[in-house]
Structure formats: C-alpha cells, structure tokens
Amino acid sequence: MDVLIPFDATAPKTRLGPVLSPSERATFARVMLDDVLAAVRTAGGNPEVLATEAIDSPARVTVDERSLDTVVNHHLDTAHGPVAVVMADLALATPDALSALFDTDGDVVLAPGRGGGTNAIVVRHEDFRVDYHAASIRDHRSIAAEIGARVADVDSYRLGTDVDDPADLAEVLLHGQGAAAGWLREQGFELAVSGGRVGVER
Amino acid sequence: MDVLIPFDATAPKTRLGPVLSPSERATFARVMLDDVLAAVRTAGGNPEVLATEAIDSPARVTVDERSLDTVVNHHLDTAHGPVAVVMADLALATPDALSALFDTDGDVVLAPGRGGGTNAIVVRHEDFRVDYHAASIRDHRSIAAEIGARVADVDSYRLGTDVDDPADLAEVLLHGQGAAAGWLREQGFELAVSGGRVGVER
C-alpha cells in the first residue's frame, strides 16, 4: 500500500506553543513523523512524506508547498491502485492499528479523529478526493456518497488520537509506544492529575 | 458475559452544566444509558445497572449508594466467571465494539478512555480489583501486573469516547448511532465549526 504522510515542516504544531518552544515543536513533530514512518513500514506500507519544505530524512520526501488538499489530491489524480493518507502526528499509531486500516475492505476507509477530523484514510475509488477542512469526516462521507463509493470506518483509539494540544501530550505519555513518549520524558514532561483531570507538567 | 454498568442517578453529567439544565442532564444521561444497555444486549452481554438511587427502567437495576470502586469491587468479590464493567456514558458504543471487548483474550482487558480513564474492562482474574481514580488506566495496568494477570488492550475509538464535556457532544452528533444523537438534535443541538475547531451550538 502506498502511504502518503503530509508533513508541515514550516510551522509545525503551533497549538503546542504554550508548552514547547518553536525549536522543540519542530523536533517533536519530526520525532512523531519518524514514529509514524516506522509503524507504516512495519505494517507493510510504502511511505512517502509530502513536506511543505525540505527535511533531512532517510524517508522518501516530496516537497510541495501547496495546500494540504491540493497536494494530496494531486497524488490521488495520478495514483494507480489504493492509496492511504496518514497524518504525521499520530503518535499512538502502532503497526497493528495501521494494518487494520490497510486491511479493511471498502472503496473509502476512514479512521475518524477527535473533533471531526480524518486522521487516516484509504482510497480505492478513482473519483474520490479529500477535503480536510473542519469536520472533514462528515465531508469525506458525503463525497464518498456522491460518487457511489462504499465507505467503511476503522474503529481505533490509536488512529483517532492526533497530537495538537497540550492535553494530547498526556495521551502520548499514557499510550505511546514509540520515540515520541520517550522524547517527552527526556524533556521533563510527566503526567499531572489535578481536580480529576489528567494533564502534563514539566 | 455479565456486564456491570455503574450509573450516577443522583447528579449525572455535571460537566455538561454549561449547555444542559439539570433535568436535561438527567434525561440525557438516561438516554445514553439506554443506548449502552441496548448495545450490550445485542453484543450478547447480560447487563446489570449499578445505580446510586432507584431509577425507573426495565433493565436489572441494583441500587447502591456507596462509591464507584466499592460497588464494583463488591461485585468482583462475589463474581463467578468473567465480568465486564462498561461506563454508562459511552454514547458511541456499538455492538461490534463491545463484542470486540468481550471476545479479546486476557485476564484483564482494558478499553482506554481519553484522559487516562478506563471506559470498559473485562475481568477474568479473581484477584483483580478496580481503582477508578484519575489516570485509572495506568493504575489498572499496575494492579494487573502486581497479581500476575495478563493484560490486553482493546483499541476502540467508540469505547474510548465517554461523554463528559460540551465538546464531547460533537462526537455524539458526528458518530453516534443510537438515541443519544437523535435526542441532542431534538433539543436543537448541531455541529458548529469555529476557527478550525468543531463544537456544538444550540
């Protein structure tokens, strides 16, 4: 399975600004990307990073500074066979979770993310195109229905958890199995429980 | 599988106070409970509601006003065979998701919830007891390790999404397949997209 991994190399993870400096955010985004790349490869995927600017990586990287939708749909335009699109900040993704995604039948297979996002998708229908604006999971279901594509959902907490906000770092510490959790601990982050809520402190 | 469903009938869903009145919260909590009961039964489970006070329900209800841990552990003390504990606010739970939980091998099977919670659990080890304080998923892993119980995780977005905060209502509108989503729509709730975030408005 060809797997596209869009990556914002320019200003990654700005919503983590309250807890990480710009250079830390850049490093953390790269650590998460490398975790996702490793999990994709172990699951049998053939990854290609679509980066907004050049990055130093042993992975196959294509630089394209156009918008997320434009870049992904350009690849779908020219694809032969199934294509997956997996977000670069799925720090909880495991090979098992990705294998379940790749192995699920359907013209369009969707892994919903919290807040209406589409954290991962498999496209096996030549007319399907992405639209990653807010509540994209709803839009992707509509687009699939319009072209008569069979939709399947993958029910995965690991794929459903993308890392955008400081609260998401608690998820990485609790459930991460890759380098991102270790990196956070090296930077001094640990779980903090306050008023029944779980967050992080440094 | 015997399935315990703890239910706060006294002051349910207080964190939804910004968007629902006390009587609406009581009704919504009951609608979610009924969704969970239906999904548990379809998945082959034998549910028993553990309620803090009497409720009018065709389900089997045991009233016990003691703390959550005390009530659940009292049942584990006297259990013969496997017991599941499923939270009453899993409005996204489907029979498929619950079947996956019930069918996963392990002395202790955990379905993590967002923020370190344990949204559902199957106990097949006579020495295991619950501790539902914050970051309970970590504590449950520790308790299982101490008694030599084999732990398995269930990777489910549906079981991982409990409904506590107003933002969680968007998850119900986006992904709910039971009566809770319909009830919210009847009360005038709909998805609202603001600044790239998805929430609800009424």
Side-chain angles (χ1 to χ4, degrees):
Chain A
M1 174 91 65
D2 287 339
V3 180
L4 306 175
I5 305 175
F7 182 68
D8 179 356
T10 310
K13 299 292 115 196
T14 50
R15 281 153 58 185
L16 293 175
V19 295
L20 290 175
S21 72
S23 81
E24 288 172 331
R25 298 201 298 273
T27 301
F28 183 55
R30 275 302 304 275
V31 174
M32 291 198 291
L33 171 64
D34 290 346
D35 277 350
V36 171
L37 282 164
V40 164
R41 284 196 196 94
T42 305
N46 174 33
E48 175 178 359
V49 179
L50 308 178
T52 55
E53 55 187 67
I55 60 172
D56 179 23
S57 171
R60 184 155 58 113
V61 178
T62 300
V63 176
D64 193 327
E65 63 190 17
R66 293 177 295 173
S67 77
L68 175 61
D69 286 348
T70 303
V71 173
V72 170
N73 285 333
H74 170 73
H75 282 260
L76 294 178
D77 286 341
T78 56
H80 301 282
V83 176
V85 186
V86 175
M87 292 299 142
D89 61 352
L90 304 188
L92 272 54
T94 54
D96 280 354
L98 289 163
S99 293
L101 171 75
F102 300 156
D103 293 345
T104 297
D105 286 333
D107 295 330
V108 176
V109 181
L110 301 168
R114 187 169 170 84
T118 308
N119 285 3
I121 188 169
V122 173
V123 180
R124 296 191 182 92
H125 192 294
E126 64 180 5
D127 295 332
F128 186 85
R129 296 294 179 270
V130 298
D131 180 350
Y132 280 109
H133 293 94
S136 67
I137 195 80
R138 193 173 52 168
D139 296 331
H140 287 145
R141 287 174 184 155
S142 299
I143 294 166
E146 282 165 17
I147 61 173
R150 291 174 303 126
V151 174
D153 274 18
V154 171
D155 179 24
S156 170
Y157 187 82
R158 292 190 170 280
L159 299 183
T161 305
D162 48 332
V163 178
D164 287 319
D165 294 311
D168 300 326
L169 301 184
E171 302 298 320
V172 182
L173 289 175
L174 281 161
H175 304 295
Q177 297 183 1
W183 186 88
L184 287 175
R185 290 193 186 95
E186 285 165 17
Q187 309 311 310
F189 284 94
E190 56 186 41
L191 285 183
V193 177
S194 163
R197 312 284 191 106
V198 175
V200 296
E201 64 183 13
R202 191 180 193 179
Chain B
M1 174 94 62
D2 287 338
V3 181
L4 306 175
I5 305 176
F7 181 68
D8 178 357
T10 311
K13 299 291 119 197
T14 50
R15 280 153 58 184
L16 293 176
V19 295
L20 291 175
S21 73
S23 81
E24 288 174 331
R25 297 201 298 272
T27 302
F28 183 55
R30 275 301 303 275
V31 174
M32 291 198 290
L33 171 64
D34 290 346
D35 278 350
V36 171
L37 282 164
V40 164
R41 283 196 199 95
T42 305
N46 173 34
E48 176 178 359
V49 179
L50 309 178
T52 55
E53 56 186 67
I55 60 172
D56 180 22
S57 170
R60 185 155 58 112
V61 178
T62 300
V63 176
D64 193 326
E65 63 189 17
R66 293 177 295 174
S67 76
L68 175 61
D69 286 349
T70 302
V71 173
V72 170
N73 285 332
H74 170 73
H75 282 259
L76 294 179
D77 285 342
T78 57
H80 299 283
V83 176
V85 186
V86 174
M87 292 298 141
D89 62 351
L90 304 189
L92 273 55
T94 55
D96 280 354
L98 288 163
S99 292
L101 171 75
F102 300 158
D103 293 346
T104 297
D105 286 333
D107 295 329
V108 176
V109 182
L110 300 168
R114 188 168 168 85
T118 307
N119 285 3
I121 186 168
V122 172
V123 180
R124 296 191 182 93
H125 191 295
E126 64 180 5
D127 295 331
F128 186 85
R129 297 295 179 271
V130 298
D131 180 350
Y132 279 110
H133 292 93
S136 67
I137 195 79
R138 193 174 52 169
D139 296 331
H140 287 146
R141 287 173 182 157
S142 298
I143 293 165
E146 282 166 17
I147 61 173
R150 290 172 303 126
V151 174
D153 274 18
V154 171
D155 179 25
S156 170
Y157 187 82
R158 293 189 170 280
L159 299 183
T161 304
D162 48 334
V163 178
D164 286 319
D165 294 312
D168 299 327
L169 301 184
E171 302 298 320
V172 181
L173 290 174
L174 282 162
H175 304 296
Q177 298 183 1
W183 185 88
L184 287 174
R185 289 193 187 94
E186 284 166 18
Q187 309 311 310
F189 285 94
E190 56 186 40
L191 284 184
V193 177
S194 163
R197 310 285 189 107
V198 174
V200 296
E201 64 184 13
R202 191 181 192 180

